[in-house]
Amino acid sequence: SAKFFVGGNWKANGSTASVAKLVDELNAGTIPRGIDVVVSPPFIYIDYVMQHLDRAKYQLAAQNAWIGGNGAFTGEVTAEQLTDFGVPWVILGHSERRSLCGESNEVVGKKTAHALAAGLGVIACIGETLDQRNSGSMFKVLDAQMDALVAEVKDWSKVVLAYEPVWAIGTGVVATPEQAQEVHAYLRQYCTKKLGAAVADKLRIIYGGSVSDTNCKDLSKQEDIDGFLVGGASLKGPAFVTICNAAG
Ligand code: 13P
């Protein structure tokens, strides 16, 4: 099975004081060998975290990147700049960027291709809203999100796919292990069909949405759950370290 992957998405949270405390807590944690753990601070704290976090245990990710190269794009940070700075990963297509910043499936597909070409690994996020799930269009929505990635991505070896149902993000309403497994298995099948079994078997499909130190173990036992993308609980060092130790 694939190498366990845990991402901590800090979103737009933190201060110099809280980031310093969180870094200390993370450095004190024991992380199993042979897994990938990636923390994703806001851009402005990446330099501090890079200098102080134990990078034998933790890697870094940005939470977004511009769709293209350097230039007159005020307020943006490019994939090339992240590579230059030594940041190996980027989260793209998070539901908050899709819904609050208007990022379409096509934009997320193009951003993903650009980031991969610049040498980054990409945590590509997809997921349905509650309305879409309840109205029976969940698989259609996921297909469209996946189709836009498949249209742009040539090499999937540096992609981690994050399934984050929108209704579970920041709500405390975690998907049940069965709900998550159903979608992860569906996504694996989709990838087998479109990309071949070799790619699909190796692809890490991680779950995000109200993951906590108490629900992570049951989720990680599911066959097609290869790790987690953690929001709120990643802001608490001990809880996040527990989640990192939940490999099924
Ligand atoms: P929560 O863990 O706070 O629900 O957030 C999940 C998420 O959006 C991670 O990217």
Side-chain angles (χ1 to χ4, degrees):
S1 79
K3 192 176 179 187
F4 199 66
F5 186 105
V6 180
N9 176 8
W10 298 0
K11 309 192 180 182
N13 291 297
S15 62
T16 49
S18 74
V19 166
K21 178 167 179 272
L22 181 51
V23 165
D24 287 347
E25 289 173 352
L26 292 173
N27 286 343
T30 302
I31 301 296
R33 261 176 248 276
I35 72 168
D36 286 319
V37 182
V38 172
V39 299
S40 191
F43 282 118
I44 198 161
Y45 300 120
I46 286 180
D47 186 30
Y48 176 91
V49 174
M50 187 174 274
Q51 290 184 48
H52 294 89
L53 191 64
D54 181 351
R55 290 199 287 143
K57 296 186 222 172
Y58 305 100
Q59 306 170 60
L60 275 159
Q63 296 174 17
N64 180 36
W66 178 237
I67 194 167
N70 294 1
F73 310 108
T74 302
E76 294 292 336
V77 173
T78 64
E80 286 78 359
Q81 291 169 328
L82 292 170
T83 305
D84 171 60
F85 206 66
V87 176
W89 291 95
V90 64
I91 299 170
L92 293 173
H94 192 279
S95 82
E96 286 146 19
R97 294 208 59 87
R98 290 174 184 267
S99 68
L100 303 172
C101 307
E103 293 191 9
S104 65
N105 290 344
E106 289 63 36
V107 164
V108 175
K110 288 194 160 62
K111 281 189 167 195
T112 300
H114 185 80
L116 291 170
L120 295 173
V122 175
I123 303 161
C125 305
I126 62 169
E128 83 289 355
T129 66
L130 191 59
D131 275 357
Q132 290 163 343
R133 175 173 277 257
N134 288 341
S135 68
S137 59
M138 174 173 81
F139 292 116
K140 208 181 70 191
V141 167
L142 295 169
D143 281 353
Q145 292 172 335
M146 288 301 300
D147 288 348
L149 289 171
V150 168
E152 295 288 344
V153 174
K154 304 285 167 275
D155 177 3
W156 282 76
S157 63
K158 292 179 76 179
V159 177
V160 171
L161 187 62
Y163 169 59
E164 299 206 296
V166 178
W167 47 271
I169 295 177
T171 58
V173 182
V174 65
T176 65
E178 295 72 25
Q179 284 174 322
Q181 168 59 24
E182 180 194 20
V183 173
H184 283 231
Y186 176 80
L187 294 171
R188 185 97 55 203
Q189 263 171 34
Y190 171 102
C191 291
T192 302
K193 235 182 295 162
K194 300 270 175 151
L195 307 168
V199 171
D201 291 349
K202 262 196 236 125
L203 178 68
R204 267 91 60 92
I205 308 179
I206 64 176
Y207 168 81
S210 295
V211 173
S212 73
D213 52 351
T214 54
N215 62 31
C216 56
K217 195 74 207 176
D218 282 343
L219 286 161
S220 74
K221 286 182 194 141
Q222 299 297 315
E223 184 177 348
D224 290 293
I225 298 181
D226 303 313
F228 300 113
L229 189 55
V230 185
S234 74
L235 298 171
K236 294 174 235 149
F240 186 68
V241 168
T242 297
I243 295 167
C244 293
N245 282 274

